Amino acid sequence: MASYLQVENISKSYGDKILFQNISFNINEGDKIALIAPNGTGKSSLLKILAGLDSSDRGGEVKFMKDIKVAFLDQMNNFNPQNTLFDEVYSRLGSTYDVIRSYEQAIASGDEKQIERAMAAMDAADGWSVEQRIKQVLTSMKLTRLDQPMGELSGGEAKRAAIALMLLQQADFLVMDEPTNHLDIDAIEFLEGYLSKSRCTLLMVTHDRYFLDRVCNTIMEIDRGEIFTYRGNYTEYLEKREERISNYNAETDKVRNILRRELEWIRSTPCARTGKARYRINAFYDLKDRASQVYTQKQVSMEAMKGATRLGTKIINCKDLSFYYGQDCYLDKFTYNFQRYEKVGIVGRNGAGKSTFLNLITGRMFEDDPGVLTGVIERGESLKIGYYHQSGMSFNPQDTVLDIVNDTWLLNRFLFPHEMLNNKIEKLSGGEKRRLYLLTILMQQPN
């Protein structure tokens, strides 16, 4: 198989924190690789270096095979909220956009001469096949309202649009950062089927192990600044990783036994050391450093979050609840009394109103919201809601971790060690920001 990507000796660090150092790897044609690692260990940073949006700290080389087409899907959707879906998609087509745009305007005008000229231009630019493919991909992603402003799309619809733009590039090599975030089940299944059947080469960051298992045949892990590659699915990766860590820790135990003998030698009297090889003393300090290295799995501790306020018998009661945006009905005479200790999942296609529903029952909809709400929502007097919403928290990027949560004990239990407390928010990874946001909610002790 041809080598599509060669990465040699690239490094990245932020201040004293080393994400990865002098890592090298190769991706061949047809590989479908999932890149996994804990939050804040450099997954997105690595993808940005591959995309040319960032650079390695100390040289190194990123080399894609000549003449292959590479498409990148970022974790964040950088759309112009004023653009319509039509403009956002078609504007990526270069000169073909102007031809198709003119044709659409001619059809809307009804002017026969204008339509005739526009059709001739479409013939010359092969606009028909381009337009057909675009509409085919958009329809597959359930995006049919081409006049809808991007700013009005739900989180899931915006992600669908980003994926559609990536697929329309017909690239040989796809690099994707969290492709399933905010997608509904139908969209995930479509993307899963497309990637499984496609002959494209793939490198993606994902925390969705089921999607990973169905799409990928290789797992690449960033661990302690190094890259480890495993062939097989997620279950096989866990087994092989555990074996690697066990072997490493067993080797550490052997080194410690040797270190104890060398320590006795080092502590011997100066007279006894006279004339002994200097390299043995240097080797002792190398042993000491290696003996201190052992793998430990740190987990977020939720024990610190106990002590939520008491919850009464009335939670949230909804009666004949209806909600409209213009002519669009998102909720129609919904009646339900939520009970204590219920665990309720809300499902639905992207744009169906799931987030709107949560905003309604938690009281986050504002009085000046353009939607029309009728019916009754009653909330219990003792109700204290912790709402973790998909848009996240608006942090001041110049604030530090300690500015946001001034409790070092809690921060440590949420995997923010002492050396991270003065890190600015802008330096945190996406996952670290979400973990910090979750902590701010749980600190309020919702019930």
Side-chain angles (χ1 to χ4, degrees):
M1 289 291 184
S3 175
Y4 268 16
L5 172 65
Q6 288 181 313
V7 174
E8 295 181 3
N9 297 320
I10 64 171
S11 305
K12 195 67 186 177
S13 59
Y14 288 107
D16 295 332
K17 183 177 181 180
I18 297 174
L19 298 179
F20 44 84
Q21 192 167 19
N22 296 326
I23 62 172
S24 301
F25 59 90
N26 182 74
I27 295 179
N28 292 324
E29 179 184 2
D31 283 346
K32 288 186 168 64
I33 299 174
L35 177 65
I36 65 174
N39 292 331
T41 50
K43 300 185 298 295
S44 294
S45 295
L46 176 57
L47 294 195
K48 286 179 181 177
I49 291 174
L50 301 185
L53 302 175
D54 202 351
S55 58
S56 173
D57 288 341
R58 294 179 295 278
E61 186 177 28
V62 175
K63 187 177 181 181
F64 286 96
M65 181 180 178
K66 187 180 179 181
D67 296 330
I68 69 164
K69 192 170 184 178
V70 184
F72 290 89
L73 177 72
D74 199 352
Q75 190 174 145
M76 304 300 293
N77 302 318
N78 299 314
F79 294 128
N80 183 339
Q82 307 303 320
N83 276 356
T84 64
L85 177 59
F86 177 94
D87 289 331
E88 195 68 42
V89 173
Y90 283 76
S91 62
R92 313 291 178 101
L93 303 176
S95 59
T96 312
Y97 164 71
D98 296 324
V99 174
I100 296 175
R101 186 67 165 160
S102 297
Y103 171 72
E104 295 286 345
Q105 290 172 344
I107 294 295
S109 72
D111 186 317
E112 290 187 10
K113 289 186 176 180
Q114 189 177 343
I115 293 173
E116 188 176 335
R117 288 194 298 270
M119 290 178 69
M122 286 283 283
D123 288 336
D126 194 26
W128 304 112
S129 60
V130 173
E131 185 176 40
Q132 182 181 14
R133 172 163 171 73
I134 289 174
K135 290 184 176 178
Q136 189 177 46
V137 172
L138 291 177
T139 301
S140 298
M141 297 304 295
K142 305 291 176 61
L143 295 166
T144 55
R145 291 182 53 188
L146 297 182
D147 61 340
Q148 188 174 13
M150 298 302 294
E152 293 182 6
L153 299 181
S154 71
E157 288 172 326
K159 194 56 173 270
R160 285 171 180 259
I163 290 172
L165 285 167
M166 179 193 67
L167 297 181
L168 284 168
Q169 295 180 52
Q170 295 182 284
D172 306 293
F173 191 168
L174 302 179
V175 182
M176 309 166 72
D177 196 355
E178 298 284 11
T180 60
N181 276 9
H182 307 314
L183 291 183
D184 60 27
I185 293 172
D186 286 346
I188 291 174
E189 288 180 345
F190 167 79
L191 184 60
E192 177 188 300
Y194 178 91
L195 295 174
S196 298
K197 295 172 185 175
S198 172
R199 298 182 63 183
C200 71
T201 302
L202 171 67
L203 173 63
M204 71 173 177
V205 169
T206 182
H207 293 285
D208 185 339
R209 62 164 295 180
Y210 301 104
F211 183 81
L212 180 162
D213 265 345
R214 294 183 178 107
V215 172
C216 296
N217 53 28
T218 303
I219 293 178
M220 189 181 290
E221 178 189 26
I222 301 177
D223 189 13
R224 299 193 174 195
E226 297 184 62
I227 285 279
F228 299 92
T229 302
Y230 307 84
R231 298 291 175 182
N233 61 23
Y234 189 79
T235 302
E236 292 169 317
Y237 149 73
L238 290 177
E239 293 172 355
K240 293 173 183 176
R241 182 179 189 273
E242 185 62 33
E243 182 181 350
R244 176 176 66 82
I245 291 173
S246 296
N247 291 339
Y248 187 91
N249 288 339
E251 185 64 29
T252 300
D253 289 338
K254 292 178 183 178
V255 169
R256 285 175 175 171
N257 289 332
I258 298 171
L259 181 66
R260 278 191 286 270
R261 294 198 299 269
E262 292 300 289
L263 184 59
E264 292 175 6
W265 178 81
I266 284 287
R267 287 173 174 171
S268 62
T269 62
C271 292
R273 286 208 307 268
T274 302
K276 291 183 178 178
R278 184 68 190 173
Y279 79 87
R280 188 172 176 184
I281 297 174
N282 293 336
F284 166 79
Y285 290 105
D286 291 339
L287 280 171
K288 187 177 180 181
D289 181 60
R290 174 63 181 85
S292 67
Q293 299 172 21
V294 63
Y295 273 89
T296 55
Q297 294 282 137
K298 290 187 177 182
Q299 301 286 339
V300 170
S301 171
M302 303 293 283
E303 293 299 311
M305 298 295 111
K306 289 184 176 179
T309 54
R310 181 184 173 277
L311 184 62
T313 54
K314 180 190 281 188
I315 314 301
I316 301 174
N317 295 346
C318 302
K319 185 175 181 181
D320 291 334
L321 206 60
S322 296
F323 185 76
Y324 284 79
Y325 268 127
Q327 298 298 315
D328 296 327
C329 176
Y330 286 86
L331 207 59
D332 185 26
K333 296 181 180 178
F334 173 75
T335 297
Y336 189 81
N337 293 340
F338 290 89
Q339 305 296 317
R340 276 198 296 184
Y341 314 123
E342 273 189 316
K343 292 178 173 60
V344 181
I346 301 171
V347 299
R349 61 175 174 78
N350 292 139
K354 300 184 296 296
S355 295
T356 297
F357 177 68
L358 292 182
N359 289 338
L360 287 171
I361 65 172
T362 57
R364 283 182 55 88
M365 299 299 281
F366 303 109
E367 290 182 4
D368 59 352
D369 191 277
V372 177
L373 173 66
T374 59
V376 177
I377 303 176
E378 296 178 345
R379 301 180 185 89
E381 291 183 5
S382 63
L383 183 67
K384 194 170 184 181
I385 295 173
Y387 188 3
Y388 182 98
H389 51 92
Q390 65 174 304
S391 57
M393 181 176 178
S394 297
F395 293 111
N396 179 344
Q398 296 303 309
D399 280 346
T400 65
V401 171
L402 200 57
D403 288 332
I404 304 299
V405 176
N406 191 18
D407 188 322
T408 57
W409 186 76
L410 281 178
L411 286 167
N412 186 256
R413 277 151 184 77
F414 261 67
L415 306 187
F416 291 100
H418 180 76
E419 58 269 22
M420 281 191 68
L421 301 187
N422 290 316
N423 286 8
K424 291 184 178 180
I425 299 301
E426 64 183 359
K427 297 296 185 182
L428 299 183
S429 71
E432 288 170 331
K433 289 176 186 174
R434 289 190 290 273
R435 193 182 337 127
L436 186 61
Y437 170 42
L438 177 60
L439 177 54
T440 65
I441 294 171
L442 296 179
M443 283 177 65
Q444 300 167 29
Q445 296 188 326
N447 55 20

